[in-house]
């Protein structure tokens, strides 16, 4: 049973602030390595969405001055956070044809292109097809799940993000998960010098998110400068609008939506499998491979197939989690797309590809609303 890692990669595909999340303020990050680890700011690149994602610049500092470079290790080596894996070994060499739909309002003939994104990319990604670049050029801007640049430019948004994961009833994480799971997680954080008592005030969802970020940092040839963050940077450079489809509260609520019992189970499973970084790399690469050919349905079906193995007493909890994490958000996204169509807003609408998977996807909901929905091949 690999439910911990599967959920982890699934969340990466679903949540912008999970794949590119931020931690504490710089002063706090220096004291709290976990927060520092998760403070992966989006690159302020001005390159086109269709251009190649550049590799991290080489440092000119001496080894004594440099921070540990977890991405530069040879696959299988031990980095600051554990054994590494090269995700490029599992990436299919295929032409990029991401999921894209043209939505038309039959009453007004207003059109909206809705696209499925991926929040992390293999290094060396050579850009989106020209037809998507043309759609962008003819748009007024981009509508993304959440404009993540707000987390690095607005201290209030950053504090709101952090506060959302602090227990507000005076409890600590030890009162929400089993002692066995807590000790496993604490031991892992201690082993990489990333534990402090202040971390106990944060929710189990926050701990789980930090474990996910640490897994991502152990993957070589992976960029957290995903399609959406590239689109945001390009729109800002071009003076186009950047619109957040969701609120920060919606994203943080989703990240913290598992019941105590469910997150205790999946966190324990993930911690038991932390050494199997190659399997995690393969799972995340498979999501990218599906995105690259526009095949979204398996993103959900494979998740549900694996999680059928959950203990019976957790299945209702998992259904509630999926409602908050995926299906309720799909409905909200479709309603926002409908709003744009009615108002004649010409945005390139971009949300995580898993939001189109299954028969409750954004595209299906828009079709049920009466819009003409055409898959672009």
């Amino acid at each position: 049973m690999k439910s911990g890692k599967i959920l982890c990669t699934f969340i990466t595909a679903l949540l912008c602030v999970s794949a590119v999340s931020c931690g504490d303020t710089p002063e706090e990050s220096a004291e709290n390595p976990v927060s520092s680890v998760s403070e992966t700011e989006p690159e302020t690149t001005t390159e086109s969405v269709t251009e190649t994602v550049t590799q991290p610049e080489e440092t000119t500092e001496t080894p004594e001055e440099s921070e540990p470079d977890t991405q530069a290790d040879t696959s299988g080596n031990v980095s600051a956070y554990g054994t590494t894996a090269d995700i490029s070994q599992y990436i299919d060499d295929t032409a990029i044809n991401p999921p894209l739909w043209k939505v038309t309002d039959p009453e007004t003939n207003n059109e909206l292109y809705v696209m499925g994104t991926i929040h992390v990319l293999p290094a060396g990604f050579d850009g989106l097809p020209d037809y998507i670049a043309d759609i962008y050029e003819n748009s007024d801007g981009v509508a993304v799940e959440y404009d993540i640049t707000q987390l690095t430019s607005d201290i209030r948004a950053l504090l709101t993000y952090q506060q959302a994961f602090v227990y507000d009833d005076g409890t600590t994480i030890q009162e929400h998960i089993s002692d066995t799971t807590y000790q496993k997680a604490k031991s892992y954080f201690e082993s990489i010098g990333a534990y402090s008592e202040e971390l106990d005030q944060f929710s189990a969802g926050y701990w789980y998110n930090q474990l996910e970020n640490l897994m991502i940092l152990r993957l070589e040839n992976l960029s957290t400068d995903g399609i959406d963050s590239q689109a945001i940077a390009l729109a800002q450079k071009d003076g186009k609008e950047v619109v957040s489809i969701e609120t920060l509260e919606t994203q943080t609520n989703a990240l913290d939506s598992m019941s105590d019992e469910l997150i205790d189970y999946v966190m324990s499973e993930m911690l038991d499998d932390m050494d199997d970084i190659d399997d995690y790399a393969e799972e995340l690469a498979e999501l990218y491979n599906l995105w690259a050919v526009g095949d979204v349905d398996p993103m959900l079906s494979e998740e549900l197939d694996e999680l059928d193995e959950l203990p019976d007493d957790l299945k209702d909890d998992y259904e509630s989690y999926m409602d908050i994490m995926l299906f309720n958000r799909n409905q909200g996204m479709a309603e926002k797309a409908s709003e744009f169509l009615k108002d004649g807003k010409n945005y390139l609408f971009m949300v995580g590809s898993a939001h189109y998977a299954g028969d409750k996807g954004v595209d299906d909901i828009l079709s049920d609303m009466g819009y003409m929905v055409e898959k672009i091949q």
Side-chain angles (χ1 to χ4, degrees), residues 143-172:
V144 295
E145 285 182 37
Y146 180 74
D147 181 0
I148 55 177
T149 62
Q150 295 182 40
L151 292 178
T152 56
S153 62
D154 185 348
I155 187 64
R156 290 171 298 181
L158 177 58
L159 292 174
T160 298
Y161 171 83
Q162 291 177 302
Q163 192 60 36
F165 297 103
V166 175
Y167 290 116
D168 57 8
D169 57 1
T171 59
T172 63

Side-chain angles (χ1 to χ4, degrees), residues 61 73 104 139 176 191 310 334 352 361:
E61 296 175 312
D73 292 329
T104 306
S139 72
H176 293 266
S191 72
L310 274 173

Side-chain angles (χ1 to χ4, degrees), residues 240-279:
K240 294 192 176 191
E241 292 182 70
V242 177
V243 178
S244 293
I245 295 166
E246 295 186 318
T247 64
L248 182 59
E249 181 182 13
T250 300
Q251 291 253 321
T252 55
N253 284 347
L255 280 170
D256 217 11
S257 58
M258 287 190 227
S259 67
D260 289 348
E261 294 76 16
L262 179 60
I263 201 164
D264 179 84
Y265 177 83
V266 296
M267 188 187 297
S268 178
E269 292 283 311
M270 184 172 70
L271 285 161
D272 288 344
D273 288 333
M274 287 289 278
D275 289 338
D276 195 359
I277 189 64
D278 289 288
D279 192 62

Side-chain angles (χ1 to χ4, degrees), residues 15 28 105 140 224 228 258 296 303 322 375:
L15 282 160
E28 292 169 325
D105 185 342
D140 297 325
T224 56
D228 32 21
M258 287 190 227
V296 296
E303 170 83 4
M322 288 296 287
K375 181 76 178 291

